Amino acid sequence: MGNGTENREQWGSRLGFIMAAAGSAVGLGNIWRFPYITGVNGGAAFVLVYFAIVFTIGISVMLAEFVIGRNAGLNAVGAFQKIKGGAWPVVGWMGVIAGFMILSFYGVIAGWTIAYMIKSVSGLMTLAAAGKAGDAFGAFVTNPVQVIAYQVVFMAITIWIVYKGVGEGIEKYCKIMMPALFVILLILIVRSVTLPGASKGLEFYLRPDFSKLTGASIFAALGQGFFSLSLGMGCMITYGSYLNKKEILPSAAVTVTFLDTMVAFLAGFAIFPAVFAFGIEPGAGPGLTFVTLPNVFAKMPGGMIFSFLFFLLLFFAALTSSVSLLEVCVAYFKDQMGWSRTKASWLLGGVITALGVPSAISLGGNLKIAGKDFLDVMDWGSSNFLLPLGGIFISLFVGWVWLDGAKAEATNEGKHPFSWMTAWIWICRVVAPVAIAWIFVKGLKW
Ligand code: PHE
């Protein structure tokens, strides 16, 4: 068994780490999931609840994960084992399992982005102009051979980047893709908010109507927050483990949380004005992106280009997240089992791709567990269950079990005290565990 701490890979620069961590956070969760969940949950009021959760609980759990990861210099399981042992590594284990689960269905949806880039320039606009974007989407996702083929292509790219390693793979490509993503998003926003009729979308998105909030929507905001910030499953522990001892962790947590939330918020500006400008239902669900946006693009001058750019953006966002999901699993097998990076990447990547096949098939509507599509079960079980649960334990670990160690690590042994230390500690001790547990009880329903 290797303990992985000697000659361990490291990020090449602070910027590289920030881009990689923000790349992990910014993903399908921001651009595909956030707008449709916001649409389903009534708009602006949900957005405010989401912000409140992210900037209290989310940011604190992120710092807790960085602190644990950098202190141990190990994967999620190894980190808990090294710092405390006992039953704590189970938290890391849950994370690795969540990694397998999330990446299995994430790869399927990410595969759609490749398909839709190609479709954008080969007839999707004509179909959409004829009002057939919904039919085209339905025909595509219920054809498992196609969906699986694109999933395999997407997973192969993910595996290849992870196999190249932390610096030469993950960091290098995130540094190119993240700024590109930002530029594309800005172009789309300008197009969307200048459409005639865009103001109704802005109103839906920005004027809160608190009567629309329910226990279930607060629960959805929590699950969305954990999913979007890549929390609760050891992803930020793993990325933190490649950080040098000089990095200032609280400021890194603030930057990554801020970037992630900004991209999600901006994605809403690209989508809602356009959705309303063309009289589309904002609560359309997961299809919001893949069904309604092509309609929107088809009615815009230069729509083909905007459509292609949008799905390229989604592809980049998905890729920088999928590599982090795979890295959680690879780091575990590398550190704890002594596997080589090559073996871990290709073998685990292959297994996860195979695990995604039932999700891909379930889109045809005939692979259900207790009435839900297999893909939804994987999504629901991981984002709304494993991640918040992981968040509770990570907070308790830092707030009660390993407090002095965590404080020392968070301040670089006292060299960089930070002003919200007390708030952070109490959020970890009480606020986060109680709030998550309470939201669980309120919102947990099938
Ligand atoms: N945060 C990613 C997204 O928003 C998904 C993700 C979840 C990545 C958990 C890593 C860990 O798409």
Side-chain angles (χ1 to χ4, degrees):
M1 273 214 212
N3 72 11
T5 30
E6 307 109 44
N7 301 324
R8 195 175 165 81
E9 295 168 279
Q10 280 207 346
W11 304 113
S13 65
R14 176 184 153 81
L15 180 73
F17 160 69
I18 296 285
M19 288 296 137
S24 165
V26 175
L28 292 171
N30 303 58
I31 298 164
W32 163 72
R33 209 170 183 274
F34 178 77
Y36 99 69
I37 300 261
T38 300
V40 171
N41 287 285
F46 176 86
V47 176
L48 286 180
V49 172
Y50 178 78
F51 284 173
I53 290 179
V54 159
F55 284 104
T56 51
I57 298 176
I59 201 168
S60 301
V61 174
M62 179 164 311
L63 178 56
E65 290 205 22
F66 284 160
V67 165
I68 295 171
R70 187 181 62 180
N71 182 271
L74 284 171
N75 64 91
V77 179
F80 282 105
Q81 215 156 53
K82 180 168 167 188
I83 297 175
K84 194 70 201 176
W88 286 101
V90 175
V91 180
W93 261 108
M94 272 171 27
V96 174
I97 292 169
F100 273 81
M101 280 174 72
I102 296 176
L103 187 51
S104 76
F105 76 82
Y106 204 86
V108 173
I109 296 171
W112 301 355
T113 65
I114 302 179
Y116 265 71
M117 271 193 280
I118 299 171
K119 287 179 197 289
S120 294
V121 293
S122 61
L124 178 64
M125 291 301 103
T126 324
L127 279 169
K132 297 213 173 75
D135 299 345
F137 178 74
F140 168 65
V141 296
T142 52
N143 177 344
V145 177
Q146 271 196 53
V147 172
I148 292 168
Y150 285 111
Q151 180 216 359
V152 168
V153 172
F154 180 84
M155 288 302 296
I157 302 172
T158 301
I159 294 168
W160 186 80
I161 293 178
V162 172
Y163 146 79
K164 296 294 279 181
V166 171
E168 277 309 292
I170 300 174
E171 178 172 350
K172 181 167 154 194
Y173 291 97
C174 286
K175 255 164 55 184
I176 303 169
M177 287 189 282
M178 291 306 292
L181 181 151
F182 200 70
V183 172
I184 298 173
L185 188 56
L186 290 182
I187 296 174
L188 285 173
I189 290 171
V190 171
R191 176 62 278 189
S192 190
V193 298
T194 52
L195 287 168
S199 60
K200 275 198 247 91
L202 292 174
E203 195 175 319
F204 173 82
Y205 195 42
L206 298 177
R207 181 171 298 165
D209 172 358
F210 288 99
S211 67
K212 287 182 181 155
L213 279 184
T214 61
S217 54
I218 298 174
F219 187 52
L222 181 82
Q224 173 62 24
F226 272 86
F227 187 83
S228 187
L229 292 172
S230 309
L231 297 177
M233 55 153 298
C235 190
M236 294 302 173
I237 295 181
T238 307
Y239 272 22
S241 76
Y242 303 125
L243 266 178
N244 68 50
K245 291 285 180 193
K246 292 201 208 81
E247 194 60 59
I248 298 168
L249 299 180
S251 83
V254 171
T255 309
V256 175
T257 304
F258 179 76
L259 284 175
D260 185 68
T261 309
M262 189 173 63
V263 172
F265 191 52
L266 287 179
F269 280 101
I271 290 174
F272 288 114
V275 164
F276 276 81
F278 294 111
I280 293 160
E281 191 34 60
L288 190 68
T289 306
F290 290 91
V291 179
T292 62
L293 279 187
N295 277 318
V296 171
F297 293 134
K299 292 176 193 159
M300 300 192 326
M304 196 201 241
I305 297 165
F306 284 111
S307 180
F308 177 82
L309 281 179
F310 178 80
F311 291 108
L312 180 69
L313 165 96
L314 210 51
F315 168 75
F316 283 169
L319 191 58
T320 52
S321 298
S322 62
V323 295
S324 73
L325 285 159
L326 183 56
E327 181 63 24
V328 170
C329 307
V330 165
Y332 167 70
F333 279 85
K334 216 170 139 273
D335 292 343
Q336 306 301 117
M337 309 290 186
W339 288 18
S340 69
R341 177 167 282 280
T342 311
K343 176 175 167 189
S345 316
W346 291 97
L347 199 63
L348 300 174
V351 169
I352 293 170
T353 308
L355 273 177
V357 168
S359 287
I361 292 173
S362 78
L363 297 165
N366 42 26
L367 191 63
K368 291 186 191 291
I369 296 179
K372 271 182 182 263
D373 287 343
F374 191 84
L375 189 147
D376 294 333
V377 174
M378 297 300 254
D379 185 0
W380 190 92
S382 49
S383 356
N384 289 356
F385 190 73
L386 284 179
L387 302 188
L389 202 60
I392 293 184
F393 287 118
I394 289 166
S395 308
L396 291 174
F397 184 74
V398 160
W400 298 99
V401 179
W402 180 59
L403 186 59
D404 292 336
K407 276 184 175 167
E409 188 68 39
T411 56
N412 296 1
E413 313 295 332
K415 285 198 279 297
H416 285 282
F418 63 101
S419 42
W420 45 289
M421 170 69 100
T422 314
W424 178 55
I425 298 295
W426 284 100
I427 290 173
C428 289
R429 293 192 130 184
V430 181
V431 181
V434 171
I436 298 169
W438 180 78
I439 297 170
F440 251 129
V441 174
K442 281 274 177 204
L444 199 58
K445 66 175 197 312
W446 189 242

